[in-house]
Amino acid sequence: MRLDLSDLRLFLCIIDAGSITQGAIRAHLALASASERLRKIEDEVGVPLLIRQPRGVITTEAGEALAHHARLILRQQDLLKGELHDFATGTRGTLTLYANTAALSHFLPQRLAVWLSSRPQLRVELKERTSEEIVQSITVGVADAGIVSDAIAAPHLHLQPVAADHLLLIVPPDHRLAQHTKLSFADVVTETFVGLSPGNALQDHIDMQARTLGHVLQSRIQMKTFEGMCEMVQHGIGVAILPKAIATQYQRRYTYKKLALTDEWATRQLCVCYQDWDALGPPLQSLLTHLGAIPKPH
């Protein structure tokens, strides 16, 4: 059989209306067109589907079977259209977003929670990378968008600031540097550090800045969490570099001194980074708009 969805809709319109004339009206077809299509449907299935009577039509047993399956097929089509609409509007599916450590730690959680709460069928896969790696991935087309620091050069890409992301130094209260309020990284690069675990995007970024100055950071211990770093610094194990928002948050629980870092790479903004807004698709556009990005005019 070569029945299509429009054939099934017409047949249901006719049997629901109880007549070919009224069924044609419901299907927005001329009576002659509806009658001809109905004849072709019956020829296609090979058996009569309707019994014509002076006051309308009634279904044969075969017609009842066709009507039953037609309703199932059209209901399934409606479900499919609904799911595809959800994918198109960003309420279903999986989005991948790249982000540096600072964005993952204190910017994205609250913003994503609000956005995802109204999209129960949607998944977001977060991938932690350094800002440099994210920019490179977007440039070569591996990633569509990410959250990076504006300290990174991103030629041919759009960078839109969405939050402050200053890094600072925390030191034990009795540390010799505690008398300062701000320092450059070069002033402290030879200190003993409490770092983040190997492979952490922020730690990789800090290590790279140290190498730029011709040094290798001396880490006495490397922790998996910012909270662990703060506790180590409180007990005098070393100094540490972390986002200002995180340092302020944990200062309620741990004792240490905060010192501003004057380096350009440490006084930065978190930015949404992408190459072509129109190529992102509605779901990712919706997410990035919620995070604070505004489409660039053509």
Side-chain angles (χ1 to χ4, degrees), residues 214-233:
H215 293 273
V216 175
L217 282 189
Q218 300 302 312
S219 295
R220 188 174 177 191
I221 189 170
Q222 293 178 298
M223 307 298 295
K224 288 187 176 181
T225 65
F226 287 121
E227 183 176 8
M229 293 174 67
C230 293
E231 184 163 5
M232 287 293 170
V233 172

Side-chain angles (χ1 to χ4, degrees), residues 65-83:
L66 177 60
H68 170 71
H69 288 286
R71 295 188 197 280
L72 293 178
I73 291 170
L74 293 176
R75 186 178 304 120
Q76 196 65 37
Q77 187 210 21
D78 288 339
L79 291 174
L80 174 59
K81 288 170 63 177
E83 287 193 16

Side-chain angles (χ1 to χ4, degrees), residues 244-255:
K244 180 179 179 179
I246 298 296
T248 301
Q249 173 185 341
Y250 285 118
Q251 198 169 29
R252 303 167 189 168
R253 189 179 310 171
Y254 303 104
T255 303

Side-chain angles (χ1 to χ4, degrees), residues 2 22 28 50-51 54 60 101 112 128 136 141 143 147 160 166 170 175 195 197 211 213 219 222 225 232 269 279 298:
R2 299 179 181 178
Q22 293 301 314
H28 305 291
L50 297 173
I51 299 174
T60 63
T101 305
L112 281 177
E128 183 178 1
Q136 182 179 11
I147 312 296
Q160 295 190 7
H166 296 173
I170 61 172
H175 196 279
S197 298
R211 290 193 296 272
L213 296 175
S219 295
Q222 293 178 298
T225 65
M232 287 293 170
Q269 299 282 325
H298 294 293

